[in-house]
Amino acid sequence: MTGQDTDHTTRCGFVAIVGAPNAGKSTLLNRMAGTKLSIVSPKAQTTRFRVLGILMRGTTQMLLVDTPGIFQPKRKLDRAMVAAAWTGSEDADITLLIVDARAGMTDALRAIATRLAEQKRRLWLVLNKTDLVRRDMLLPLTAQLSAILPVEHVFMVSARSGEGVDDLLDRIAAELPKSPYLYPEDDLTDLPDRLLAAEMVREQVFLQTHQEVPYAATAETESFEERPDGSVRIEVTIYVTRASHKAILIGDKGSRIRAIGEKARRELGRLLDRNCHLFLNVKERAGWDEERARLRAIGLDDIS
């Protein structure tokens, strides 16, 4: 079977993964896809744009869309991130509302559920981190959410351990619409390699720095050069808003930026399955998070 049969025995569709920051959306996408496609950190608001994971399960091609966490935006960057999340949901065949079961019903979750109810689309509830919560706490939370929005199915999973994820994938595979495949069967994502390189660097900025630095930083791939030996030479610039952040990122005698580059290079080499020569530069650029060009460069649509 090629996936392009005219009798439409194959299935294919978009599945949006939405929720509040730190609900575990990116961890769930990576668990479902079986590889790292969306960067993950313990800090909220790590994901900044839609990330597509392409997963084959039987004769179904699932197009899993990880979206930024939905929160009250302040900057142009924030507004673009939240807009990307809602667009991802509106375009999907099935929307998965991912809920941090430990946090329970928060004001942010209630606002998201209320807006989703207005979309009148297929909506499934996925309670995440259920391995960390007593079972008797899950049913009241499910009832609260079901009273706000129409839920087709409820799943209880742990994206961290994988518990319950196979059942979720099996149900998605069975219920997506009959359709030819939209992507080659061996594709993992539609993200360009240049953007993946910048994201691997930004992930290390999140993991290796603290407090406000990650939110004041972005990464852009300046050059991506294929080499005759099959390796790739990549130059990435990290933009920060303050001189003090630049100093933190560089570290004593360049120790921090070397550590960021080394770990990002290893992750990227594994993801691209080739040797990567990664070179990093740090520049101070106040107000980059309000610049249209910077937002487009990191994969976000312009928001006025």
Side-chain angles (χ1 to χ4, degrees), residues 40-297:
V40 175
S41 88
K43 300 177 177 67
Q45 301 166 28
T46 304
T47 301
R48 285 181 175 166
F49 54 86
R50 283 172 286 168
V51 176
L52 179 67
I54 303 166
L55 175 62
M56 297 300 305
R57 196 167 185 90
T59 57
T60 298
Q61 185 177 72
M62 305 178 195
L63 307 177
L64 307 169
V65 185
D66 183 23
T67 63
I70 298 169
F71 60 101
Q72 285 297 320
K74 297 177 182 177
R75 306 169 293 173
K76 180 174 282 192
L77 168 65
D78 300 340
R79 293 193 295 274
M81 289 165 57
V82 172
W86 286 120
T87 301
S89 171
E90 290 164 1
D91 293 343
D93 295 288
I94 296 171
T95 296
L96 306 181
L97 173 58
I98 313 301
V99 174
D100 181 345
R102 288 186 307 176
M105 178 64 85
T106 63
D107 290 343
L109 175 58
R110 188 181 301 277
I112 293 168
T114 300
R115 178 157 173 179
L116 284 172
E118 297 169 357
Q119 291 187 357
K120 295 181 172 57
R121 290 182 174 272
R122 298 188 66 186
L123 184 67
W124 298 5
L125 176 60
V126 180
L127 300 183
N128 188 27
K129 308 180 186 180
T130 55
D131 55 330
L132 305 175
V133 178
R134 295 199 324 268
R135 288 284 167 169
D136 60 356
M137 297 175 62
L138 298 176
L139 288 179
L141 178 57
T142 302
Q144 284 180 291
L145 287 163
S146 298
I148 298 173
L149 71 173
V151 174
E152 282 190 17
H153 303 293
V154 178
F155 297 87
M156 299 183 183
V157 307
S158 168
R160 182 179 57 85
S161 72
E163 181 184 352
V165 173
D166 276 339
D167 290 340
L168 173 60
L169 287 171
D170 286 342
R171 181 57 67 92
I172 293 170
E175 296 205 19
L176 283 175
K178 292 181 179 179
S179 165
Y181 300 154
L182 297 179
Y183 291 88
E185 294 178 46
D186 57 354
D187 279 6
L188 291 175
T189 183
D190 67 342
L191 285 184
D193 290 348
R194 294 175 65 99
L195 201 52
L196 281 173
E199 282 294 276
M200 291 302 105
V201 171
R202 193 169 65 85
E203 178 179 50
Q204 291 305 317
V205 172
F206 265 83
L207 293 176
Q208 297 194 42
T209 61
H210 304 288
Q211 296 174 337
E212 76 274 17
V213 174
Y215 302 105
T218 189
E220 289 183 30
T221 300
E222 306 287 355
S223 70
F224 194 99
E225 178 186 348
E226 306 276 352
R227 297 173 55 142
D229 63 359
S231 67
V232 61
R233 185 185 190 280
I234 308 167
E235 293 183 16
V236 174
T237 295
I238 303 171
Y239 290 101
V240 293
T241 56
R242 300 177 189 172
S244 60
H245 294 165
K246 181 176 179 179
I248 292 170
L249 274 176
I250 293 173
D252 183 37
K253 298 180 181 178
S255 58
R256 176 66 56 73
I257 198 67
R258 281 197 299 273
I260 289 171
E262 177 63 24
K263 291 193 176 181
R265 182 187 61 78
R266 288 204 299 265
E267 284 286 344
L268 194 57
R270 182 189 59 78
L271 195 57
L272 300 181
D273 195 24
R274 61 163 87 182
N275 287 329
C276 297
H277 308 281
L278 180 61
F279 300 87
L280 302 183
N281 187 24
V282 184
K283 292 183 180 179
E284 181 188 352
R285 192 182 187 103
W288 70 259
D289 50 1
E290 295 287 345
E291 293 181 25
R292 293 179 179 179
R294 296 283 80 73
L295 300 188
R296 287 196 297 268

